Amino acid sequence: MSPDFIPSQPEGVYLYSKYREPEKYIDLDGDSLTTEDLVSLGKGHYKIKLTPVAEQKVQRSREVINKIIEEKTVVYGITTGFGKFARTVIPVNKLQELQVNLVRSHSSGVGKPFSPERCRMLLALRINVLAKGYSGISLETLKQVIEIFNASCLPYVPEKGTVGASGDLAPLSHLALGLIGEGKMWSPKSGWAEAKYVLQAHGLKPVVLKPKEGLALINGTQMITSLGCEAVERASAIARQADIVAALTLEVLKGTTKAFDTDIHAVRPHRGQIEVAFRFRSLLDSDHHPSEIAESHRFCDRVQDAYTLRCCPQVHGVVNDTIAFVKGIITTELNSATDNPMVFASRGETISGGNFHGEYPAKALDYLAIGIHELAAISERRIERLCNPSLSELPAFLVAEGGLNSGFMIAHCTAAALVSESKALCHPSSVDSLSTSAATEDHVSMGGWAARKALRVIEHAEHVLAIELLAACQGIEFLRPLKTTTPLEKVYDLVRSVVRPWIKDRFMAPDIEAAHRLLLEQKVWDVASPYIEKYRMEHIPESRPQSPTAFSLLSLHQKSSKLPETEEL
């Protein structure tokens, strides 16, 4: 690499300014890694070690490779070239050079480098796959890679360049390039420097690749899957908090809880829909958590609410079910062998297949983006209802002295811009395919883009819901001294601990980011979830308050029983 090459700074490096080397370990066996585990590894909460069973599997797999080399058998990727060069047999004395050349030539990515968190996730996931014992890597090399991970020495990995089959070759090659001491590398101790010097600063040596080991390090779907793992966890966090934000908006807009009645959802029993309706009831049940706001309009003349309020269980619900579906696929992919060729020690042979193809996570993450976008789309419409005085019965744009002050006018525009951008990002990348490697890799998944844009859509949803959260809390200011339910008052207090009410216009971007941070750190969920779970555990009877616009035979009978009796003729 050119000595004057200066990599662009990855986002999130500042988060490592207070990095502390973890003391706890996660045991990897290639079979039991969870999405939560991988995100924790990315955040630097754990080091890695292999289980004894995993070590044995890795050793047996390597023995097969050693036998192939000893017997000079022609096997793809071990004693042959790659892709179009699969029929080119490589001399034994060139096998190590073959692996180094593979890593160097395939390190062809462009764009911003991964943040430390994402690079740690990528490296940890590749280690987990290697621990399965189907890749042919030696135990010595794998332990060396684990030492590099545990020292948080993170190679420069550009985010663009994978087509998602044969695996994520470009990003994983950049990962391997740092491990062999070439290219750039970063650690909390050294910052950016030449990889060999970063390793040296930590008392580590570059990996010396044995036959098959370069291919073992770069062949798989780990970029798609590691980013997909982050996407699933962030999607789960924002989806459950979206229910809380929407419940707060419903209170401010003086909506009814009747649409969340258990009987409605029992006759259309989608799991996500039932759960969202339950959360709304647990937060809004004014008999259990008295709400002065709810009582103030119990006898109004409204018949039913707008879809953005009334249909939250149906819209938010399918998002929850989408996340659950995608999480299942990503969890399977986390613990799958995605190499080619596969080394089956029990059979003493290698088999070429297509487990490197990223179609599964690519399709799933396209689906996730479409699902999560709907949280932002419906939230933006609720923001409109909060800001529009003809719909909210609140001051225009939620500010006093409108005209002199513009309030949430442009905050709503920001939400609309993000939703519009996400619509384009929701076009599935996995419907595209371009033939590569001289038509030997003639169908690909484009899963890398599916993963990256899914994260973009999720980030947009987080920001839109942050704006709605601020707008709903501002709306409450105009309903004071009335109070909402206890859990929603706790949410209001949380927001007010970082963002003060708007009395007049002020610089709004920092407030949006403060609310976004609350959602990212799941603090909104943390303050409300104890009330949700208490409601669940105590099996509190559902309250069904009467109103003039809700017809009931029971209420009709009660009214008629109170009429004076007439005399018989």
Side-chain angles (χ1 to χ4, degrees):
M1 185 178 292
S2 170
D4 60 353
F5 174 79
I6 301 174
S8 57
Q9 189 79 345
E11 297 171 6
V13 169
Y14 69 93
L15 298 176
Y16 271 60
S17 60
K18 297 181 180 179
Y19 174 79
R20 296 289 180 272
E21 187 174 328
E23 297 179 358
K24 296 180 180 179
Y25 285 81
I26 280 183
D27 293 333
L28 293 186
D29 58 8
D31 298 318
S32 53
L33 188 67
T34 66
T35 55
E36 295 87 353
D37 289 338
L38 190 59
V39 169
S40 293
L41 284 164
K43 291 178 179 176
H45 294 167
Y46 298 98
K47 292 182 179 181
I48 286 173
K49 62 180 178 180
L50 296 177
T51 65
V53 172
E55 291 186 359
Q56 292 172 9
K57 290 191 293 185
V58 169
Q59 286 176 317
R60 287 197 295 267
S61 173
R62 186 63 199 179
E63 288 168 4
V64 175
I65 302 300
N66 291 338
K67 189 173 182 180
I68 289 169
I69 297 165
E70 289 170 11
E71 297 180 359
K72 299 181 180 179
T73 309
V74 177
V75 178
Y76 173 74
I78 303 172
T79 56
T80 74
F82 308 97
K84 188 69 174 176
F85 298 119
R87 297 182 180 180
T88 303
V89 179
I90 308 300
V92 173
N93 65 343
K94 298 277 188 179
L95 294 184
Q96 285 184 286
E97 183 181 352
L98 171 70
Q99 299 300 311
V100 174
N101 286 348
L102 172 71
V103 171
R104 287 171 176 163
S105 66
H106 285 41
S107 297
S108 306
V110 298
K112 286 185 177 181
F114 278 177
S115 67
E117 288 81 2
R118 289 177 181 172
C119 193
R120 281 176 63 90
M121 289 173 69
L122 180 64
L123 182 52
L125 183 52
R126 192 61 207 162
I127 291 168
N128 188 62
V129 171
L130 295 171
K132 291 186 72 67
Y134 296 100
S135 305
I137 196 168
S138 68
L139 183 59
E140 174 193 5
T141 297
L142 183 52
K143 285 188 171 181
Q144 202 174 352
V145 173
I146 291 171
E147 286 180 352
I148 292 171
F149 174 88
N150 288 343
S152 204
C153 296
L154 306 173
Y156 177 86
V157 180
E159 64 180 7
K160 299 177 184 178
T162 179
V163 293
S166 169
D168 295 317
L169 291 173
L172 287 172
S173 294
H174 280 277
L175 192 73
L177 192 70
L179 300 178
I180 66 174
E182 298 185 15
K184 297 290 182 180
M185 189 175 259
W186 179 91
S187 80
K189 180 178 179 180
S190 66
W192 282 112
E194 296 288 341
K196 60 183 177 181
Y197 296 129
V198 174
L199 293 172
Q200 187 178 6
H202 290 267
L204 300 170
K205 294 181 179 179
V207 171
V208 177
L209 296 175
K210 303 178 185 68
K212 175 62 168 75
E213 290 189 334
L215 188 58
L217 287 171
I218 73 169
N219 199 196
T221 61
Q222 282 65 58
M223 175 190 150
I224 307 171
T225 309
S226 61
L227 292 183
C229 192
E230 179 189 343
V232 162
E233 286 303 302
R234 284 176 68 174
S236 298
I238 196 59
R240 57 178 174 253
Q241 292 177 111
D243 298 341
I244 300 166
V245 175
L248 189 59
T249 295
L250 183 139
E251 271 284 88
V252 173
L253 294 175
K254 298 182 178 179
T256 178
T257 60
K258 280 198 164 291
F260 314 123
D261 190 296
T262 51
D263 288 346
I264 291 175
H265 305 285
V267 296
R268 195 195 193 197
H270 293 293
R271 182 175 296 179
Q273 178 177 331
I274 289 171
E275 176 61 21
V276 172
F278 169 81
R279 288 177 187 165
F280 271 75
R281 290 196 305 274
S282 69
L283 295 167
L284 295 167
D285 188 334
S286 60
D287 283 358
H288 184 60
H289 305 297
S291 168
E292 295 170 354
I293 295 174
E295 288 303 316
S296 73
H297 64 90
R298 179 168 289 190
F299 298 101
C300 68
D301 59 357
R302 292 183 189 174
V303 176
Q304 56 188 13
D305 292 323
Y307 290 179
T308 49
L309 303 175
R310 192 181 357 147
C311 299
C312 281
Q314 291 79 4
V315 177
H316 289 204
V318 73
V319 178
N320 280 266
D321 289 341
T322 299
I323 294 167
F325 170 77
V326 174
K327 186 170 184 174
I329 287 180
I330 294 297
T331 301
T332 298
E333 196 75 5
L334 287 177
N335 297 290
S336 295
T338 54
D339 292 71
N340 184 52
M342 306 288 291
V343 182
F344 291 94
S346 60
R347 294 166 56 172
E349 64 179 305
T350 64
I351 306 175
S352 287
N355 277 5
F356 52 73
H357 202 295
E359 199 72 15
Y360 261 102
K363 280 284 188 287
L365 292 168
D366 278 337
Y367 183 31
L368 181 66
I370 292 168
I372 288 296
H373 167 67
E374 213 56 40
L375 291 180
I378 197 170
S379 174
E380 182 274 329
R381 290 292 80 203
R382 290 193 297 263
I383 296 168
E384 156 70 7
R385 299 193 76 82
L386 287 165
C387 291
N388 189 331
S390 65
L391 301 174
S392 68
E393 300 176 5
L394 297 170
F397 303 109
L398 302 170
V399 72
E401 297 186 80
L404 175 62
N405 296 305
S406 297
F408 277 72
M409 182 187 295
I410 303 304
H412 173 236
C413 288
T414 297
L418 293 173
V419 168
S420 180
E421 188 174 323
S422 288
K423 288 177 184 177
L425 292 171
C426 284
H427 177 79
S429 68
S430 60
V431 300
D432 187 24
S433 177
L434 291 170
S435 179
T436 60
S437 192
T440 56
E441 298 164 7
D442 58 346
H443 182 278
V444 298
S445 72
M446 297 299 178
W449 176 226
R452 291 193 296 113
K453 70 185 182 62
L455 281 166
R456 290 259 299 274
V457 171
I458 291 165
E459 183 180 346
H460 290 171
E462 291 166 349
H463 276 109
V464 172
L465 281 154
I467 293 169
E468 183 187 355
L469 178 60
L470 293 177
C473 288
Q474 180 66 7
I476 283 182
E477 305 299 340
F478 297 102
L479 302 178
R480 292 303 194 206
L482 301 179
K483 291 200 169 189
T484 181
T485 63
T486 303
L488 295 182
E489 283 290 338
K490 293 291 184 183
V491 173
Y492 169 86
D493 291 341
L494 171 68
V495 173
R496 286 292 169 252
S497 71
V498 295
V499 177
R500 68 186 190 276
W502 277 265
I503 308 302
K504 60 181 181 179
D505 282 346
R506 66 172 187 262
F507 182 23
M508 190 173 278
D511 294 330
I512 295 172
E513 190 49 46
H516 180 225
R517 181 58 53 186
L518 292 178
L519 294 171
L520 271 182
E521 296 174 356
Q522 302 188 53
K523 290 185 177 179
V524 172
W525 177 252
D526 290 343
V527 299
S529 60
Y531 295 93
I532 296 172
E533 293 311 312
K534 183 180 180 184
Y535 194 85
R536 191 191 309 275
M537 297 301 295
E538 292 184 357
H539 304 290
I540 295 164
E542 185 174 348
S543 62
R544 293 186 167 105
Q546 297 299 314
S547 76
T549 58
F551 175 77
S552 161
L553 288 175
L554 177 62
S555 61
L556 188 66
H557 173 73
Q558 289 172 343
K559 287 178 182 178
S560 63
S561 65
K562 294 178 182 179
L563 294 174
E565 295 183 5
T566 57
E567 294 182 5
E568 292 183 7
L569 294 175

